Amino acid sequence: MFVSVIVEPGGMDSAKSLVNILTMYGFKKIQRSCWECMSINEETVSSLKKDVDRVTDYYDKIRMYQFPVNGLFVITELKQKKWKKAQFKAPDRPASPSDRAPKY
């Protein structure tokens, strides 16, 4: 599965801890606050969330984008020490010409 993690740490201590955890799980830094991993499974993501929860505080914000999770696109967010999850599935219809990007 593909997982992208956006990190907005509340302080330097949690920033360092989060970087250590992400690199330990095999994530690579793509942009300033964006880390990605292409080869991680759901069990490992669950362990990652527990480790992230252990080193974060009320002021840290974390967003995880996961695909596919049982055929769904999942966004999980840690904000104010609470996890929230949103799941999205593709529409059950074929793409119409109006859904395509315009050609220039």
Side-chain angles (χ1 to χ4, degrees), residues 1-2 42 66-74:
M1 136 181 18
F2 168 79
E42 289 183 50
Q66 301 166 244
F67 184 80
V69 179
N70 299 323
L72 302 173
F73 175 65
V74 177

Side-chain angles (χ1 to χ4, degrees), residues 6-41:
I6 309 300
V7 178
E8 189 179 327
M12 290 302 292
D13 291 339
S14 54
K16 290 176 185 176
S17 297
L18 288 167
V19 166
N20 288 338
I21 288 171
L22 291 171
T23 54
M24 180 179 75
Y25 278 88
F27 282 79
K28 304 289 181 206
K29 187 174 184 177
I30 304 302
Q31 294 180 355
R32 182 176 47 164
S33 61
C34 181
W35 297 73
E36 293 180 355
C37 183
M38 302 281 259
S39 57
I40 192 167
N41 60 40

Side-chain angles (χ1 to χ4, degrees), residues 85-102:
K85 182 176 176 178
Q87 299 178 342
F88 304 92
K89 79 172 204 158
D92 292 334
R93 61 177 179 78
S96 67
S98 62
D99 291 340
R100 296 188 191 116

Side-chain angles (χ1 to χ4, degrees), residues 24-82:
M24 180 179 75
Y25 278 88
F27 282 79
K28 304 289 181 206
K29 187 174 184 177
I30 304 302
Q31 294 180 355
R32 182 176 47 164
S33 61
C34 181
W35 297 73
E36 293 180 355
C37 183
M38 302 281 259
S39 57
I40 192 167
N41 60 40
E42 289 183 50
E43 291 175 18
T44 307
V45 171
S46 179
S47 296
L48 170 64
K49 289 177 184 176
K50 289 176 186 173
D51 287 340
V52 165
D53 196 48
R54 185 176 39 81
V55 300
T56 54
D57 62 24
Y58 183 85
Y59 302 102
D60 298 316
K61 296 178 188 173
I62 310 293
R63 264 193 149 199
M64 292 185 182
Y65 299 90
Q66 301 166 244
F67 184 80
V69 179
N70 299 323
L72 302 173
F73 175 65
V74 177
I75 301 173
T76 309
E77 179 180 44
L78 174 68
K79 185 176 179 182
Q80 298 175 343
K81 282 303 272 185
K82 293 180 184 174

